[in-house]
Amino acid sequence: MCVSFVPLPRAELAGHFQAEPPPDQWAAEVWQDDLAPIILPGDQARQAVLANYGFLPRQQQAPGARYSTLNARAETIDRLISYRQAWQQCQLCLVPMRGFYEPCYESGRAERYQIGLLDDAPFAVAGLWRSWRTPAGSTEYAFTQITINADQHPLMRRMHQPGEEKRSLVIIPATHYDAWLDCQVPQRARQWLQLYPADAMQARPLPKPPTPQLALPF
């Protein structure tokens, strides 16, 4: 499933999501344990915070543990100990992005594809967040992206190795942003865990850059 994505620069984050961007910078492409902006509900308006990509950061895992919490399966999110409490408490967030990456094997080998909206517009996927207090007294955040089965999706079923189950991130339509963020009943939240229309999406080959990307321009 998705292990990296392209977040939005500061101006688009503010304009599209009506949320004040976090003061710190973030990378042009986000990988495990990188910080990226997520959108949370606020008392008066949406708020954007920087959060660790991975629900359980590596430094919080037991020594020798090597498991990924980048993506949470919708089918088990209410049962797995990693996510159960946050799901039951409806700690729902939006993960803003321009696109996410998946491998496509149609050529006979893995090719890196960027997947996004047909018009390259900003969008957001469904996520789950958690927070904790540091010894210094500050609050830090982490998130995971929610995935659903995509075996029958015309675009997403092209991704990953032949024979594997096909999965997709959940793109939340802009008209449903606040309904998703404000939902307080887990069973009701599932109504938004739907596949996005394939005819409104695009997938294009985009090889990984040979050198690390710099922070996004602000």
Side-chain angles (χ1 to χ4, degrees), residues 93-94 123-127 170-178 180 192-194 196:
C93 67
L94 295 167
F123 63 95
V125 303
V170 177
I171 298 176
I172 301 292
T175 53
H176 295 166
Y177 284 169
D178 289 320
W180 168 257
W192 288 287
L193 302 183
Q194 304 289 333
Y196 203 72

Side-chain angles (χ1 to χ4, degrees), residues 78-137:
D78 60 345
R79 301 196 303 274
L80 292 182
I81 191 170
S82 299
Y83 310 118
R84 183 175 59 207
Q85 181 176 348
W87 175 255
Q88 290 172 346
Q89 294 178 352
C90 274
Q91 293 174 202
L92 308 177
C93 67
L94 295 167
V95 185
M97 62 181 70
R98 174 83 58 203
F100 57 94
Y101 293 99
E102 300 287 3
C104 179
Y105 286 78
E106 291 176 336
S107 68
R109 61 182 179 84
E111 290 188 85
R112 188 174 189 250
Y113 271 59
Q114 187 186 87
I115 299 164
L117 299 189
L118 199 59
D119 56 2
D120 278 330
F123 63 95
V125 303
L128 196 67
W129 65 275
R130 58 182 284 261
S131 65
W132 61 93
R133 299 287 287 180
T134 69

Side-chain angles (χ1 to χ4, degrees), residues 143-158:
F143 71 97
T144 186
Q145 299 166 137
I146 301 174
T147 73
I148 56 177
N149 181 273
D151 285 342
Q152 304 304 316
H153 191 267
L155 188 151
M156 295 306 299
R157 71 185 181 191
R158 298 172 49 201

